[in-house]
Amino acid sequence: MKLSCALLPAPNAGALAARAEALGYARVWFPDSPALYGDVWISLADAARATTRIGLGTSVIIPTLRHPAVTAAAVAHLEAIAPGRLAVAFGTGFTGRRMFGQKPMSLATLGRTLRQIQGLLRGDAVEIDGALAKMMHPAGVVAARPVTTPLLLAAGGPKQLALARELGCGVMCAGGVPEGVRDAVMLALGTVLAPGETFESPRVAEAIGPAIAVVWHGTYEARPAAVDQLPGGKAWREEIEKFPANARHLYVHEGHLIEMTPRDRQAYTPLLAGTTFSGTPAELRQKAKELEAKGVGELVYWPLGPDMPGELARMAEALGASA
């Protein structure tokens, strides 16, 4: 099983990607959430130019945030900068759409858009919004067509898996591996416990707090009342519902996988630490072995907290990544 990492799109993307490469990570993935993070494509370009070997990826691109031709051009541009190093995962959208007050896109729309992007990358003329579009870039501007970048789909259920198979895409997942999937790419959030540390230790709380907050965020979007059944959830929900209903979507996901907000800190509880990929080095090696047996071919560690270089180094050492 490969060990990769996910990093926030930010001005330090190149430096952190170079650090990940030196530590032996297989790929560095960047998420797509414009209301919270910097631009995913700028960060990928920064990472590409700061490194020579490590793979690059999106985790995940939300197609409705850009015209299909814009996404296809970005893919082809990255292929010209770093040939053969890019993989692009797509999804229906979580914070990337929720922060704009929109629900995740439908699978039908996702499928139609991905077929358009696939056609463009092949060099075909495809119909988009009632008119033909085609990649018309002269030689030397972007990679030549056909562009054969591997594409993946964020999938957690049978309908998403069926679409991934139909499109010939790989599978990216979080929280669990869908039944029957092999060689999945899986996101993991957590930290390595040093001797004497517990889930109540200040450093550990900073490193896993944002991941714990996501449990409340996602549950609230699915069914607000259900948050009260989670440890710390009732206090968190009461704080979030102090915001006006028409602006609440701006705050439910505030700080998502970056930092804890004051309401996150108030509700923080180590009782949800089990939802993260955390433990001693021996415990994490066992967890990784179990995930590999369930069909994970690439584990994507997403470091959180104020010391991302340190988190990357500790996880690489614990799971045996090497340059």
Side-chain angles (χ1 to χ4, degrees):
M1 183 174 66
K2 299 176 182 176
L3 177 62
S4 296
C5 64
L7 299 173
L8 293 176
N12 65 349
L16 283 177
R19 177 64 173 154
E21 181 174 74
L23 290 167
Y25 284 88
R27 189 179 299 275
V28 55
W29 299 83
F30 290 93
D32 184 24
S33 191
L36 287 161
Y37 310 149
D39 186 81
V40 61
W41 294 109
I42 291 175
S43 292
L44 280 164
D46 288 346
R49 293 190 172 102
T51 58
T52 59
R53 173 197 58 79
I54 196 168
L56 308 163
T58 65
S59 60
V60 295
I61 284 291
I62 304 168
T64 51
L65 298 182
R66 303 166 187 83
H67 190 280
V70 175
T71 298
V75 172
H77 193 153
L78 256 296
E79 283 290 355
I81 297 173
R85 292 168 58 193
L86 180 66
V88 182
F90 295 87
T92 56
F94 184 37
T95 60
R97 285 180 59 86
R98 293 288 191 182
M99 291 287 286
F100 296 144
Q102 304 297 318
K103 293 181 179 180
M105 62 192 292
S106 69
L107 278 182
T109 301
L110 178 62
R112 181 178 66 251
T113 307
L114 288 188
R115 292 184 192 95
Q116 293 167 340
I117 293 170
Q118 287 177 322
L120 291 167
L121 292 174
R122 286 193 302 267
D124 299 342
V126 300
E127 183 175 325
I128 303 174
D129 297 333
L132 288 178
K134 185 177 182 179
M135 296 186 73
M136 304 290 289
H137 305 78
V141 176
V142 298
R145 276 69 65 201
V147 177
T148 58
T149 303
L151 305 184
L152 298 86
L153 189 67
K159 292 183 179 179
Q160 294 97 326
L161 287 176
L163 179 60
R165 294 189 183 104
E166 177 190 336
L167 296 172
C169 294
V171 171
M172 175 171 275
C173 56
V177 184
E179 186 70 28
V181 172
R182 307 302 300 174
D183 205 29
V185 178
M186 182 172 179
L187 295 173
L189 306 128
T191 192
V192 182
L193 295 181
E197 283 188 325
T198 71
F199 292 121
E200 295 179 343
S201 299
R203 185 203 68 81
V204 175
E206 292 297 323
I208 68 172
I212 285 175
V214 170
V215 178
W216 302 320
H217 301 175
T219 303
Y220 189 84
E221 292 288 10
R223 192 160 63 91
V227 180
D228 288 13
Q229 306 307 311
L230 298 172
K234 186 174 186 293
W236 183 87
R237 180 188 58 77
E238 289 173 347
E239 287 300 309
I240 204 67
E241 290 185 348
K242 291 178 181 178
F243 292 102
N246 68 342
R248 196 171 297 154
H249 64 275
L250 299 174
Y251 301 99
V252 170
H253 301 282
E254 186 180 7
H256 178 81
L257 298 183
I258 306 173
E259 61 186 8
M260 288 187 285
T261 64
R263 56 190 168 276
D264 296 337
R265 290 184 182 279
Q266 175 183 318
Y268 174 80
T269 169
L271 294 176
L272 288 176
T275 64
T276 70
F277 187 75
S278 301
T280 65
E283 290 169 339
L284 291 174
R285 285 191 289 271
Q286 181 60 34
K287 288 183 179 182
K289 186 181 297 184
E290 292 169 358
L291 289 173
E292 185 174 17
K294 291 178 180 178
V296 176
E298 181 177 347
L299 185 66
V300 181
Y301 172 55
W302 190 326
L304 306 173
D307 181 23
M308 288 192 187
E311 297 291 341
L312 286 170
R314 286 185 284 272
M315 189 61 71
E317 181 179 5
L319 296 187
S322 61

